[in-house]
Amino acid sequence: MKTPRAVPAEQRVRHPTEVRRQLIVRAALDLMAERGISGVNAREIAKQAGVSPGTVSYHFASVREILAEAITVTIEEYYATLTAGIQQRTPTEALRALIDALFTDDTERHWRLWFEYWWSGNSDEDFAARQAARYADWHAQIHAIIAAGCDADEFSCADPDEVTVRFVALVDGLALQWLRGAPSLTAEQAREHLHRFVVDSLMPAPNS
Amino acid sequence: MKTPRAVPAEQRVRHPTEVRRQLIVRAALDLMAERGISGVNAREIAKQAGVSPGTVSYHFASVREILAEAITVTIEEYYATLTAGIQQRTPTEALRALIDALFTDDTERHWRLWFEYWWSGNSDEDFAARQAARYADWHAQIHAIIAAGCDADEFSCADPDEVTVRFVALVDGLALQWLRGAPSLTAEQAREHLHRFVVDSLMPAPNS
Amino acid sequence: MKTPRAVPAEQRVRHPTEVRRQLIVRAALDLMAERGISGVNAREIAKQAGVSPGTVSYHFASVREILAEAITVTIEEYYATLTAGIQQRTPTEALRALIDALFTDDTERHWRLWFEYWWSGNSDEDFAARQAARYADWHAQIHAIIAAGCDADEFSCADPDEVTVRFVALVDGLALQWLRGAPSLTAEQAREHLHRFVVDSLMPAPNS
Amino acid sequence: MKTPRAVPAEQRVRHPTEVRRQLIVRAALDLMAERGISGVNAREIAKQAGVSPGTVSYHFASVREILAEAITVTIEEYYATLTAGIQQRTPTEALRALIDALFTDDTERHWRLWFEYWWSGNSDEDFAARQAARYADWHAQIHAIIAAGCDADEFSCADPDEVTVRFVALVDGLALQWLRGAPSLTAEQAREHLHRFVVDSLMPAPNS
DNA sequence: TATGAATGAGAGTTCATTCAT
DNA sequence: AATGAATGAACTCTCATTCAT
């Protein structure tokens, strides 16, 4: 998860723009995870990336752009991880895998960056639109799994829409408590709570 | 050791420190609600409060202190409002009143400031400790209502702790979706969802 | 040597201007000795004196004036101490007493303040004139003792003026090394050096 | 996170850091000599150096650092001048050359800056350590000349250590009187006094 | 493509002084 | 005589951005 901090300094390499952009974005991500968004500035990004401030400006129009790009990358990677665990399983297994992937030590960084960035006031319209779409996707994916489970009689659900909203809200709310750290909720506890929620809401006692 | 300036005075209004501090905090809150936390600075606070920058520094040691104070005030007021609606009611009525008070246009500002400040990295240890205590209070209050309802046989609940955690997480998660604005959840929908959650979790069908 | 830091705060007393001025000057001296001249400001002087900033401004036209007054007081006291030890003695005893009074732990504060203030750029013409007169006095006093010793055949000196200049310069130079602290010269060593100087220059071997 | 400004550029001159640092230090020295240390600030240094305030900050971490560097340069140059006149001479000639180099109109600026800075409270530990070493060097150099003179029978001295301390103190004390300007001692008189001191202390009448 | 010295507006903070009370 | 809230210019330092090389 940590980008190596290679800073040759003497033998500076020329990279195609896309490669250099990625290196800079990775450097920015490391800094953001370490010091928080307000602790990141152009000079530090340049130093972390092993290039001069001019190089950073050459490849990006502004620091804002770097941060937005970095957050986008973080979220893409996170969703890719989540989605990867879902494919080709029964709905029950899919939900279990999803919940287990949501809160891990690896994902804490993603959640933290995401929350912090969201409220930092740095997001522009373009970015907001993309994230809204991403969030709708996430919502739809949960809904699809639940609906499939209902269809296959794995789940017994009166209202899949209702359960979806509740599930998504619960995920965000538990994440918040987890990151906030008080009254301390561990990643494991958050996962267990979600598993219980699935059982309670979608798998009622067979004799009822 | 440099010669200082004269003071025109015009129409100086004098206030006791406590009054002036409150005026400055209110000015800061207005700015924070309008422009976000990163859009607030000492000069603007002074202008908004109708005083000179020196006056702000006279009453507060730092801008950070103003922001922390402002957020504290916001939260205190919000919790006071919530708590006011709870007293002297049956548990069922108390929960209903609480939910209706949680998401209103008035409270949006509180939620927004609260989230933004939380992630801004401006909070110090002292502040964090106070907020953790406040959050624990909130948790305890919900738990008390639910437990009282169970004791009075208004609610039927297997595990009050479980329900409390779920309720609190749901509140935060719905608030997040509401403020985030995508996929747009209105305050009314959030309230309705919570009301349904109470019915589902605490008031099962009587014949069961 | 330390002014007590009485700060009643509740029961503030009214003092005649001269008394209040002295209290403020003493407070300023304590601060100057403790933190150096650049570490002293109007607010701190007021706090140390147990009065409000306004009171300081009421009694003094400027901070500069307080500092000048404070240094003047310091020097007056120092010279009074030096002079006290000289009266009614033989020239030899007078010089000995003088040298012993020059460098003591008590006088370090006086020297330090004096040097620091001298170079701080705060001295105005009025102050400079008074200090020049004071310095001429000091010079004359040394000269008088030496001349008296020569007249009384206690000292054998070819040129009293010459010896006076050398003695005065030596005093200042040793003080500088002492305060500077490197290569460490103690107060005792400085005194001994001056005593040897007196013997060398004014009391040659009787058989020569 | 605020939008920055454009740069007019006009006639920007670019220098390697080391060159620019020296130019800034020279500018600071000019100001210090003219207005005293307390009259120097970052803005003025920038203006004097013909650069923007930002450029000053780019090359130095703080104003303090500039002042310390400036004083160091001053002292280095002064000692270099003194030392230059000493080499390859007899001890007698060396001392004469040294004394003549000590007090000249050129060196007044060095003495003044040195004294002023010493008491300004701006010096840090690092600086103090370096200056202590420099002062020890100076002491050692005087001692070496005197000892060489004694060995070569040019000087007749009972105690070279004693004479060294006295010589160094005399130099500082005379400098103080010279710069202080009251009771006015000229550079020429100071030099003459030191020459007489050398004759008195190290070159007694041949018949003794 | 990459550099890094240069920019300058603006940030937070300090502080001697004023003046209504 | 004493207060202390208020002032505002001036301070040092930051930093995203520019541009000649």
Side-chain angles (χ1 to χ4, degrees):
Chain A
M1 269 297 151
K2 272 275 144 125
T3 311
R5 192 205 273 244
V7 186
E10 296 87 24
Q11 285 196 338
R12 265 167 197 148
V13 195
R14 287 168 73 97
H15 287 297
T17 292
E18 266 320 307
V19 173
R20 183 59 86 201
R21 277 180 69 99
Q22 280 192 25
L23 292 173
I24 291 171
V25 163
R26 287 292 161 191
L29 272 174
D30 287 346
L31 285 177
M32 290 159 79
E34 209 175 305
R35 313 182 189 180
I37 287 184
S38 61
V40 170
N41 62 44
R43 272 270 236 296
E44 291 296 314
I45 293 174
K47 194 191 289 177
Q48 181 80 10
V51 297
S52 77
T55 302
V56 171
S57 280
Y58 179 82
H59 291 288
F60 293 87
S62 69
V63 169
R64 259 171 94 114
E65 189 186 317
I66 302 174
L67 298 187
E69 176 91 13
I71 295 296
T72 299
V73 164
T74 281
I75 294 167
E76 296 294 330
E77 287 181 353
Y78 184 49
Y79 273 86
T81 307
L82 287 183
T83 309
I86 293 173
Q87 310 301 354
Q88 299 175 324
R89 301 190 187 219
T90 68
T92 304
E93 286 170 344
L95 266 191
R96 276 194 216 286
L98 195 86
I99 289 168
D100 287 336
L102 274 168
F103 306 119
T104 71
D105 290 342
D106 272 2
T107 59
E108 185 185 350
R109 170 169 155 166
H110 292 289
W111 276 100
R112 198 172 289 282
L113 287 173
W114 161 251
F115 275 130
E116 194 178 350
Y117 186 73
W118 191 267
W119 300 106
S120 72
N122 280 313
S123 54
D124 52 30
E125 275 186 35
D126 191 46
F127 175 84
R130 266 182 294 139
Q131 294 318 317
R134 168 67 60 208
Y135 197 66
D137 265 8
W138 164 239
H139 214 269
Q141 210 154 41
I142 303 298
H143 192 270
I145 296 172
I146 291 171
C150 295
D151 287 351
D153 274 330
E154 282 189 35
F155 299 155
S156 102
C157 40
D159 186 347
D161 292 353
E162 177 92 12
V163 179
T164 300
V165 169
R166 198 170 292 179
F167 182 83
V168 170
L170 214 46
V171 167
D172 287 343
L174 290 169
L176 218 53
Q177 287 190 38
W178 171 40
L179 295 177
R180 188 178 269 176
S184 57
L185 183 83
T186 65
E188 193 186 349
Q189 290 170 330
R191 288 195 304 269
E192 280 171 10
H193 199 99
L194 281 173
H195 285 307
R196 281 198 301 274
F197 170 78
V198 169
V199 172
D200 290 354
S201 304
L202 298 169
M203 301 167 171
N207 64 328
S208 70
Chain B
M1 303 296 172
K2 269 289 155 85
T3 34
R5 271 125 301 294
V7 178
E10 302 188 25
Q11 278 202 334
R12 286 203 229 172
V13 186
R14 291 167 63 92
H15 290 295
T17 289
E18 266 320 307
V19 173
R20 180 60 83 201
R21 275 181 73 97
Q22 279 190 26
L23 292 172
I24 290 171
V25 163
R26 289 292 159 193
L29 274 174
D30 288 346
L31 285 176
M32 288 160 80
E34 207 177 305
R35 312 182 189 181
I37 287 183
S38 63
V40 170
N41 63 46
R43 236 82 152 189
E44 291 296 315
I45 293 174
K47 196 187 290 178
Q48 181 80 12
V51 296
S52 76
T55 299
V56 173
S57 281
Y58 180 79
H59 294 286
F60 292 89
S62 68
V63 170
R64 256 172 97 110
E65 188 186 319
I66 302 175
L67 298 187
E69 175 91 14
I71 296 295
T72 299
V73 164
T74 282
I75 293 167
E76 296 294 328
E77 287 180 353
Y78 184 50
Y79 274 85
T81 308
L82 287 183
T83 307
I86 292 173
Q87 311 300 355
Q88 297 177 325
R89 302 189 188 222
T90 68
T92 304
E93 285 170 344
L95 267 191
R96 274 194 218 286
L98 195 87
I99 289 168
D100 287 336
L102 274 169
F103 304 115
T104 71
D105 290 342
D106 271 2
T107 59
E108 185 186 348
R109 170 168 153 163
H110 293 290
W111 277 99
R112 197 173 289 283
L113 287 173
W114 160 252
F115 275 129
E116 192 176 351
Y117 186 74
W118 191 267
W119 299 106
S120 72
N122 282 317
S123 53
D124 51 32
E125 274 186 36
D126 193 46
F127 175 85
R130 265 182 295 139
Q131 294 317 318
R134 169 66 61 207
Y135 197 66
D137 265 8
W138 165 238
H139 214 268
Q141 210 155 40
I142 304 297
H143 191 269
I145 296 172
I146 290 172
C150 296
D151 287 351
D153 274 332
E154 283 190 36
F155 300 154
S156 98
C157 39
D159 186 347
D161 291 353
E162 176 92 13
V163 179
T164 301
V165 170
R166 197 169 292 180
F167 182 83
V168 171
L170 214 45
V171 167
D172 287 343
L174 290 168
L176 221 52
Q177 286 190 40
W178 171 41
L179 295 177
R180 191 179 264 178
S184 56
L185 182 83
T186 65
E188 194 186 349
Q189 290 170 330
R191 289 195 303 270
E192 281 171 9
H193 198 98
L194 281 172
H195 286 306
R196 282 198 302 275
F197 170 79
V198 169
V199 173
D200 290 355
S201 305
L202 298 169
M203 300 166 170
N207 64 328
S208 70
Chain C
M1 269 297 151
K2 271 276 144 120
T3 309
R5 193 205 273 244
V7 186
E10 297 87 24
Q11 285 195 338
R12 267 171 196 141
V13 196
R14 287 169 74 96
H15 287 297
T17 293
E18 264 319 307
V19 173
R20 182 58 86 202
R21 277 180 70 98
Q22 279 191 26
L23 292 172
I24 291 171
V25 163
R26 287 293 160 191
L29 272 174
D30 286 346
L31 286 177
M32 289 160 79
E34 210 175 303
R35 314 183 189 179
I37 287 184
S38 61
V40 170
N41 62 45
R43 271 271 236 297
E44 291 296 314
I45 292 173
K47 194 191 291 178
Q48 180 81 11
V51 296
S52 77
T55 301
V56 172
S57 281
Y58 180 82
H59 291 288
F60 292 89
S62 69
V63 169
R64 259 173 92 115
E65 189 186 317
I66 303 174
L67 298 187
E69 176 93 11
I71 295 296
T72 299
V73 164
T74 282
I75 293 167
E76 295 295 329
E77 287 180 352
Y78 184 49
Y79 273 85
T81 307
L82 287 183
T83 308
I86 293 173
Q87 311 301 354
Q88 298 176 323
R89 302 191 188 220
T90 67
T92 304
E93 285 169 345
L95 267 192
R96 274 195 217 286
L98 194 86
I99 289 168
D100 286 336
L102 275 169
F103 305 118
T104 72
D105 290 342
D106 272 2
T107 59
E108 184 184 349
R109 170 170 154 162
H110 293 288
W111 277 101
R112 198 173 289 282
L113 286 173
W114 161 251
F115 275 129
E116 194 177 349
Y117 186 73
W118 191 267
W119 301 106
S120 73
N122 280 313
S123 52
D124 52 30
E125 277 186 34
D126 191 46
F127 175 85
R130 265 182 295 139
Q131 293 318 317
R134 170 66 59 207
Y135 198 65
D137 265 8
W138 164 240
H139 213 267
Q141 210 155 39
I142 303 298
H143 191 269
I145 296 172
I146 290 171
C150 295
D151 287 351
D153 273 331
E154 282 189 36
F155 300 154
S156 99
C157 40
D159 186 347
D161 292 353
E162 176 91 12
V163 179
T164 301
V165 168
R166 197 170 293 179
F167 181 82
V168 170
L170 213 46
V171 167
D172 287 344
L174 290 169
L176 217 52
Q177 286 190 40
W178 171 39
L179 295 178
R180 189 180 268 176
S184 57
L185 182 83
T186 65
E188 193 186 350
Q189 290 170 329
R191 288 195 304 268
E192 281 172 10
H193 199 99
L194 281 173
H195 285 307
R196 282 200 299 275
F197 170 78
V198 169
V199 172
D200 290 354
S201 304
L202 298 169
M203 300 166 169
N207 64 327
S208 71
Chain D
M1 305 297 170
K2 269 288 155 83
T3 35
R5 272 124 303 292
V7 179
E10 302 187 24
Q11 277 201 335
R12 285 204 230 172
V13 186
R14 291 168 61 92
H15 290 295
T17 288
E18 266 320 307
V19 173
R20 182 59 84 201
R21 275 180 73 97
Q22 280 190 25
L23 292 172
I24 290 171
V25 163
R26 289 292 159 193
L29 274 174
D30 289 345
L31 285 176
M32 288 159 80
E34 207 177 304
R35 311 181 190 182
I37 287 183
S38 63
V40 171
N41 63 47
R43 230 85 148 194
E44 291 296 315
I45 293 173
K47 195 187 292 179
Q48 181 80 12
V51 295
S52 77
T55 300
V56 173
S57 282
Y58 180 80
H59 293 287
F60 292 88
S62 68
V63 170
R64 257 171 96 111
E65 188 186 320
I66 302 174
L67 297 187
E69 175 91 14
I71 296 295
T72 299
V73 164
T74 281
I75 294 168
E76 296 295 327
E77 286 181 353
Y78 183 49
Y79 274 85
T81 308
L82 287 183
T83 308
I86 293 174
Q87 311 300 354
Q88 298 176 325
R89 302 191 187 220
T90 68
T92 304
E93 285 169 344
L95 267 192
R96 275 194 217 285
L98 195 86
I99 289 168
D100 287 336
L102 274 169
F103 305 116
T104 72
D105 289 342
D106 271 1
T107 58
E108 185 185 350
R109 170 169 153 162
H110 292 289
W111 277 99
R112 196 173 290 281
L113 287 173
W114 160 252
F115 275 129
E116 192 177 351
Y117 186 74
W118 191 266
W119 300 105
S120 73
N122 282 317
S123 54
D124 53 30
E125 275 187 35
D126 194 45
F127 176 84
R130 266 181 294 140
Q131 294 319 317
R134 169 64 62 207
Y135 197 65
D137 265 7
W138 164 239
H139 214 268
Q141 209 154 40
I142 304 299
H143 191 270
I145 295 172
I146 290 171
C150 296
D151 287 351
D153 275 332
E154 283 189 35
F155 300 154
S156 100
C157 40
D159 186 347
D161 291 354
E162 176 93 12
V163 179
T164 300
V165 169
R166 197 169 292 179
F167 182 83
V168 170
L170 215 45
V171 167
D172 287 344
L174 290 169
L176 220 52
Q177 287 189 40
W178 171 42
L179 295 176
R180 190 179 267 178
S184 56
L185 182 83
T186 65
E188 193 186 349
Q189 290 170 330
R191 288 195 303 270
E192 281 172 8
H193 199 97
L194 281 173
H195 285 307
R196 282 199 302 275
F197 170 79
V198 169
V199 172
D200 290 354
S201 305
L202 298 169
M203 301 167 169
N207 65 328
S208 71

